[in-house]
Amino acid sequence: MKHCLVVDDSSVIRKVARRILEDLDFDIAEAEDGKQALEACRDQMPDAILLDWNMPVMDGLEFLTTLRRETGGDKPIVVFCTTENDVAHITRAIRAGANEYIMKPFDKEIVEAKFQEVGLI
């Protein structure tokens, strides 16, 4: 079973993502900001990360930049999941090491399609 870390400051988004990903046979861990996510990755590097951009303490872009410099941090497939939909944000995310980008709001079909595109399912 693949391990996915869901990183979002909204408990509702984390809950929705958890339900979708568990239905896709993922083992789920959660973090509510980038700092918690980094600690979780240092404990157990996930196969995938569903990552919000705008969060307190450490935002998604700062987390991703830091993660990619960690030992093994190049391994997880990172899918940004955010309301930031302009080309500049998407470009910054991809340059920082994101593998794919999902717009909020999302549903099971969108998550499943993106995870298939990046080879997770």
Side-chain angles (χ1 to χ4, degrees):
M1 183 176 280
K2 289 191 176 169
H3 179 66
C4 183
L5 177 62
V6 177
V7 187
D8 201 297
D9 57 325
S10 166
S11 61
V12 172
I13 296 293
R14 290 194 313 270
K15 187 179 207 176
V16 169
R18 173 182 283 276
R19 284 194 183 140
I20 290 170
L21 292 165
E22 283 177 343
D23 284 350
L24 296 172
D25 290 328
F26 281 87
D27 176 44
I28 305 301
E30 297 180 19
E32 54 187 65
D33 61 55
K35 185 172 184 261
Q36 282 184 7
L38 205 52
E39 290 167 7
C41 289
R42 287 174 178 155
D43 287 342
Q44 178 186 357
M45 197 61 76
D47 299 297
I49 300 171
L50 189 64
L51 179 63
D52 185 25
W53 190 298
N54 298 306
M55 298 177 289
V57 184
M58 179 187 285
D59 69 23
L61 193 65
E62 186 181 351
F63 161 77
L64 180 56
T65 303
T66 306
L67 172 72
R68 292 305 194 204
R69 291 192 303 255
E70 295 278 317
T71 302
D74 58 330
K75 302 264 186 290
I77 292 178
V78 177
V79 178
F80 255 107
C81 180
T82 182
T83 57
E84 302 294 347
N85 64 356
D86 59 273
V87 174
H89 276 91
I90 295 169
T91 302
R92 285 176 63 200
I94 300 300
R95 284 190 181 142
N99 299 90
E100 195 49 81
Y101 211 91
I102 293 175
M103 302 308 306
K104 287 180 183 173
F106 58 88
D107 59 20
K108 182 180 181 187
E109 288 73 29
I110 292 168
V111 172
E112 189 170 9
K114 290 294 183 178
F115 274 48
Q116 280 178 339
E117 280 180 37
V118 295
L120 285 166
I121 52 176

